[in-house]
Amino acid sequence: INALLGPRLATEFGLGAAQLGLLTGSYFLAFIAIQLPLGMMLDRHGPRRVNGVLFGFAVAGALVFAAAEGFGGLLAGRMLIGLGVSAALMGAMHAFVLWNSRERIASLISIVYATGGLGALLTSFPLAFALGYVTWREVFAGLAAASLAVSLVMLFWVPERTAAKRPQHLGAQLAGLGEVLRDPGI
């Protein structure tokens, strides 16, 4: 998205290469920063709830980005979007483990990776097409609407499925995380 929007944003907001780079990287920084707590949230609350709630952050981020009046708004919007979609892959994998036999999990994960990669490759054409008819702000408003639909489907339509064992208490999860972080092999 940023490759196509970069020149428009640079012109409209007077952004330089460093700001465009930070704008692109901020999505990934927010995405990465939440991964360790995300695993604990998925274990405690399940992929349906975690993805449903986090997609709400993607909605907020797309709206903030669409309404941005300066670099700060663009940056905050991109970070919220990164946070909002941070559980999409891990949440799907977690759901596969809860809902499917061991024999099917590898195939399902492969399908998710292939679909995600294909989506990343094919994003530029629909975006370029849409930008011929609407503004980039309208594109992000549309992305907010789509993200809201995904969030609501996850929260209210996807059935709950819990693992056979109860999740660890938060203290036990944090102790386990500390153990992992102290491991010299990592």
Side-chain angles (χ1 to χ4, degrees):
I1 284 179
N2 281 3
L4 286 172
L5 291 184
R8 293 169 194 255
L9 298 176
T11 300
E12 186 172 334
F13 294 99
L15 304 180
Q19 287 174 308
L20 288 172
L22 180 58
L23 196 57
T24 299
S26 65
Y27 169 94
F28 297 106
L29 288 172
F31 188 98
I32 291 167
I34 194 70
Q35 290 304 302
L36 289 176
L38 174 64
M40 295 181 350
M41 289 187 290
L42 286 168
D43 286 343
R44 290 188 65 73
H45 305 291
R48 181 188 71 84
R49 290 183 193 153
V50 172
N51 262 318
V53 169
L54 284 179
F55 259 83
F57 285 92
V59 172
L63 292 174
V64 166
F65 196 87
E69 295 296 326
F71 179 69
L74 295 172
L75 188 63
R78 287 296 286 169
M79 291 184 83
L80 284 168
I81 293 168
L83 175 65
V85 300
S86 64
L89 178 60
M90 290 291 94
M93 289 182 188
H94 196 102
F96 294 156
V97 169
L98 292 176
W99 283 83
N100 296 280
S101 66
R102 284 189 150 150
E103 296 78 26
R104 295 192 64 208
I105 293 171
S107 296
L108 292 169
I109 290 172
S110 297
I111 291 168
V112 167
Y113 272 116
T115 304
L118 185 61
L121 288 172
L122 298 178
T123 299
S124 58
F125 175 75
L127 177 60
F129 180 78
L131 289 172
Y133 297 95
V134 298
T135 68
W136 66 268
R137 292 179 188 274
E138 292 167 324
V139 166
F140 273 85
L143 291 173
S147 297
L148 178 60
V150 169
S151 177
L152 293 173
V153 163
M154 283 190 222
L155 288 171
F156 299 110
W157 184 69
V158 172
E160 189 70 49
R161 180 73 184 237
T162 57
K165 63 179 185 170
R166 293 184 52 84
Q168 294 178 316
H169 292 298
L170 181 60
Q173 284 185 311
L174 290 173
L177 177 61
E179 214 174 289
V180 169
L181 293 175
R182 285 189 302 274
D183 186 331
I186 293 179

